Amino acid sequence: MTFRSFRFFIPILAVAAAGLCSVIIIAMTGRDPVMIYEKLFRATLLSGYGSGQVIFKTTTLIFTGLAVALPFRARLFNIGGEGQLQLGALAAAITGALLPVSFPPAASVPITAIAAMAAGGIWGGASGILKVKFGVNEVISSIMLNFIAQAATGYLLTSRFAVQSTEHTPEIGNSSMLPGLDDLFGIFVGSPANITILIALAAALYAAWYLFRSRAGYELRAVGLQPEAADYAGIRSGRHIITVMSIAGALAGVAALNLVSGYKHYYESGLTGGFGFSGIAVALLAGAHPLWIVPAALFFGLLEYGGLAVGAYVPKDIFLIIQALTILIVIVLNAQKR
């Protein structure tokens, strides 16, 4: 079996192996694994509200997963999704709150989205510029930029934009809010799932087209496969590095639509909840393929909410272990077949 054909089964094998390990861990806690997983699936996929929670988490993970997957094709590792998402969320909340109430949704929502994408894109592009102009490794720069983003959003929130005696911004205007799937279709009743999931799916499709059907995507992959040969062929590697890091930041930033416009309707400390870091795991499980990002995000969304749903029976940390084991197994299997 060739590596190309075997690679298709690596995520499946990793999920199965991690699931088997979780059965052993749950049994060690004195609980029946069958009972735990039955309750997990009843609380998630077999529940309208639970399914909506999974969809809600999946939506954000698709964006942050794509923010890692695209640069990875150029052999770049974007660790800065969390900071890019934080800045995007704050920008979306401030923009949505400042827009006049007379603005129609057809204008308010795109403006809010552009603000979120711009904030995240600038932050992602900064890592690209540091790499191209000064030779700074993007892993180090994006990690440091995460800390700066966290400090900046914290300062701006508490000293400038928070509602008095609270830790959140003013609520965005009604025209900047996105309807929930419950309101539109009567599904996932009571859950925060909203139409941002449709934007996320469209983003995954566009990312696949960009990588595998466009000239820019071809050149980007050439930069990742052999940068010296790409330079010799006249491909401007530096431009592609800055561009893809900016696109990645914009993708992480626009995930704020799900959290701000579709759910909370304001920004508060802790809103992003580590989605930027979870996006790294999603991208690794998906093999950095934009279309595989969707089922990988669904898997992690299921584990994240499922862990909370059965938290009264077993520690939710068990499901964090499953996520970590899945990625470790993916890495090991890829290394063994190369």
Side-chain angles (χ1 to χ4, degrees), residues 175-186:
S175 61
S176 296
M177 296 180 185
L178 291 175
L181 297 181
D182 180 9
D183 300 322
L184 288 177
F185 309 112

Side-chain angles (χ1 to χ4, degrees), residues 75-159:
R75 293 296 187 268
L76 300 170
F77 210 168
N78 179 26
I79 310 293
E82 184 68 14
Q84 294 151 15
L85 174 56
Q86 283 181 329
L87 289 172
L90 181 61
I94 294 171
T95 303
L98 292 177
L99 286 174
V101 293
S102 59
F103 266 42
S108 294
V109 172
I111 291 173
T112 303
I114 290 170
M117 293 174 68
I122 290 171
W123 218 240
S127 289
I129 293 172
L130 288 171
K131 183 176 182 67
V132 172
K133 300 298 184 182
F134 303 101
V136 180
N137 185 282
E138 76 282 355
V139 173
I140 296 173
S141 64
S142 57
I143 290 175
M144 294 301 102
L145 286 170
N146 276 337
F147 288 112
I148 297 173
Q150 184 178 14
T153 53
Y155 169 76
L156 290 172
L157 177 63
T158 56
S159 66

Side-chain angles (χ1 to χ4, degrees), residues 89-259:
L90 181 61
I94 294 171
T95 303
L98 292 177
L99 286 174
V101 293
S102 59
F103 266 42
S108 294
V109 172
I111 291 173
T112 303
I114 290 170
M117 293 174 68
I122 290 171
W123 218 240
S127 289
I129 293 172
L130 288 171
K131 183 176 182 67
V132 172
K133 300 298 184 182
F134 303 101
V136 180
N137 185 282
E138 76 282 355
V139 173
I140 296 173
S141 64
S142 57
I143 290 175
M144 294 301 102
L145 286 170
N146 276 337
F147 288 112
I148 297 173
Q150 184 178 14
T153 53
Y155 169 76
L156 290 172
L157 177 63
T158 56
S159 66
R160 300 292 180 183
F161 297 107
V163 176
Q164 188 173 5
S165 301
T166 73
E167 292 187 0
H168 63 77
T169 61
E171 191 170 274
I172 63 175
N174 289 335
S175 61
S176 296
M177 296 180 185
L178 291 175
L181 297 181
D182 180 9
D183 300 322
L184 288 177
F185 309 112
I187 56 177
F188 309 130
V189 178
S191 76
N194 58 81
I195 63 169
T196 312
I197 182 61
L198 303 180
I199 303 174
L201 295 175
L205 289 172
Y206 177 78
W209 175 87
Y210 173 79
L211 278 179
F212 303 115
R213 292 290 183 268
S214 72
R215 176 177 177 178
Y218 172 80
E219 292 182 351
L220 177 68
R221 289 184 288 122
V223 169
L225 291 172
Q226 188 51 262
E228 293 83 5
D231 287 333
Y232 183 77
I235 297 173
R236 298 172 61 183
S237 300
R239 184 189 66 183
H240 283 288
I241 289 172
I242 295 172
T243 298
V244 77
M245 289 299 290
S246 299
I247 292 173
L251 284 167
V254 80
L257 289 182
N258 187 48
L259 302 173

Side-chain angles (χ1 to χ4, degrees), residues 48-64 180-181 188 190-197 200 255-265 271-273 275 297-298 300-302 304-305 308:
Y49 175 79
S51 297
Q53 286 282 3
V54 173
I55 293 296
F56 172 72
K57 293 182 180 296
T58 297
T59 302
T60 307
L61 289 172
I62 290 174
F63 286 117
T64 56
L181 297 181
F188 309 130
S191 76
N194 58 81
I195 63 169
T196 312
I197 182 61
L257 289 182
N258 187 48
L259 302 173
V260 175
S261 299
Y263 176 41
K264 281 289 189 176
H265 303 147
L271 178 64
T272 56
F275 280 114
L298 182 62
F300 279 95
L302 176 65
E304 288 200 11
Y305 182 70
L308 295 174

